[in-house]
Amino acid sequence: MQNLMDHDARRFGAVNWMGLYTLAQRETLRFMAVWTQTLVAPLVTAGLFLLIFNIAIGPSRSNVMGVSFLTFLAPGIMMMTVIQNAFANTSSSMVIAKVQGNIVDTLMPPLSPLEIMLGYLAGGIARGIMIAFVVALALVLVLGIVPEYPLIALIFVVLGGAFMGALGLFAGIFANKFDQMAAITNFIVTPLAFLSGTFYSVQALPPVLNRLIHVNPVFYLIDGLRYGMIGVSDSSPWLGMVICTVSTLLVGALTWQMLRTGYRLKA
């Protein structure tokens, strides 16, 4: 069987572009079919976060890093929304396929482990970019926040979608049940998102917490997007790009290994 699959893969060339495109298209259409849940709902959630913080803190809140607190907060909320949805896209797709037993439909076609991983990641990244665009448009219209460095902002959105998409695929392969997936989300993804400088500048933290947050890749995603959106950051955006890229490659390599060996995917 393996020889037959290798022969089929070679028949398509070094890369099965048609198969990769089809898988990526499936993962994209999967969330576009319920766009009110996958695109509109995150926008409403981000808006509620900003509204609640604005009401709770009020206009008396001093500026943060030279900008108003609401302006400082907006890019963090935007990135948090992007990474949560990129993670949800890949993890839910994999877990549902495993629980329903149709994961074989993805494993049987002549797709290499790398092509399968990239196909899933394409859906997570696409969802992250679309959500970022929708939220950014709302920030321009409502708060008047126009991206200072749009290309840098886009790079960090793509890195955020890729990193959390890979982490979501890793978690989806590892989890055999929905409650296991919920545990990973609650005890790993949520702390990474909230302990990342989304709602505060790390300059205000004690030294121990400051050092701890600097080992969190999500901190660099949020800080980099903040630089791209409003031109201020706690660390160098170039350092952030390197750390986020390396983190994505490491998680991607682990996920590729799981796909290659069939860990928790094959009997």
Side-chain angles (χ1 to χ4, degrees), residues 62-103:
S62 60
N63 289 350
V64 181
M65 300 176 68
V67 298
S68 70
F69 178 69
L70 202 59
T71 300
F72 172 86
L73 181 64
I77 297 295
M78 179 177 169
M79 178 56 80
M80 189 172 68
T81 305
V82 168
I83 62 177
Q84 287 177 339
N85 282 271
F87 178 89
N89 203 74
T90 54
S91 61
S92 64
S93 182
M94 178 58 70
V95 170
I96 290 172
K98 289 172 64 178
V99 171
Q100 293 181 345
N102 56 24
I103 185 64

Side-chain angles (χ1 to χ4, degrees), residues 184-200:
I184 294 172
T185 302
N186 292 334
F187 295 110
I188 297 179
V189 178
T190 300
L192 283 176
F194 280 88
L195 301 177
S196 57
T198 302
F199 308 104
Y200 47 82

Side-chain angles (χ1 to χ4, degrees), residues 5-22:
M5 292 180 64
D6 291 342
H7 173 74
D8 287 341
R10 286 193 294 270
R11 181 165 58 85
F12 282 98
V15 179
N16 184 353
W17 293 109
M18 182 174 67
L20 177 58
Y21 171 78
T22 301

Side-chain angles (χ1 to χ4, degrees), residues 39-252:
L39 297 180
V40 177
L43 174 62
V44 173
T45 301
L48 287 174
F49 263 113
L50 293 172
L51 178 63
I52 291 170
F53 271 93
N54 190 44
I55 294 174
I57 295 175
S60 60
R61 176 67 159 86
S62 60
N63 289 350
V64 181
M65 300 176 68
V67 298
S68 70
F69 178 69
L70 202 59
T71 300
F72 172 86
L73 181 64
I77 297 295
M78 179 177 169
M79 178 56 80
M80 189 172 68
T81 305
V82 168
I83 62 177
Q84 287 177 339
N85 282 271
F87 178 89
N89 203 74
T90 54
S91 61
S92 64
S93 182
M94 178 58 70
V95 170
I96 290 172
K98 289 172 64 178
V99 171
Q100 293 181 345
N102 56 24
I103 185 64
V104 66
D105 295 335
T106 302
L107 298 178
M108 283 303 293
L111 289 168
S112 69
L114 181 60
E115 290 163 353
I116 293 175
M117 184 179 73
L118 292 177
Y120 276 99
L121 287 184
I125 294 172
R127 182 168 169 179
I129 291 175
M130 290 185 187
I131 288 173
F133 176 79
V134 171
V135 174
L137 182 61
L139 293 180
V140 171
L141 297 177
V142 178
L143 298 179
I145 299 177
V146 179
E148 291 279 345
Y149 306 104
L151 181 58
I152 293 179
L154 177 61
I155 289 173
F156 276 100
V157 167
V158 172
L159 284 173
F163 174 69
M164 293 304 289
L167 188 61
L169 188 56
F170 177 90
I173 296 172
F174 180 82
N176 285 325
K177 298 182 293 185
F178 289 110
D179 56 345
Q180 293 176 347
M181 193 69 251
I184 294 172
T185 302
N186 292 334
F187 295 110
I188 297 179
V189 178
T190 300
L192 283 176
F194 280 88
L195 301 177
S196 57
T198 302
F199 308 104
Y200 47 82
S201 170
V202 297
Q203 297 173 4
L205 296 176
V208 174
L209 286 179
N210 193 314
R211 288 192 292 270
L212 183 62
I213 285 182
H214 275 80
V215 301
N216 180 3
V218 179
F219 159 73
Y220 295 97
L221 290 172
I222 290 174
D223 201 52
L225 181 62
R226 183 172 286 133
Y227 180 81
M229 292 295 292
I230 61 177
V232 300
S233 61
D234 281 306
S235 65
S236 167
W238 313 113
L239 174 63
M241 285 184 192
V242 172
I243 292 176
C244 293
T245 300
V246 171
S247 299
T248 301
L249 291 175
L250 288 175
V251 177

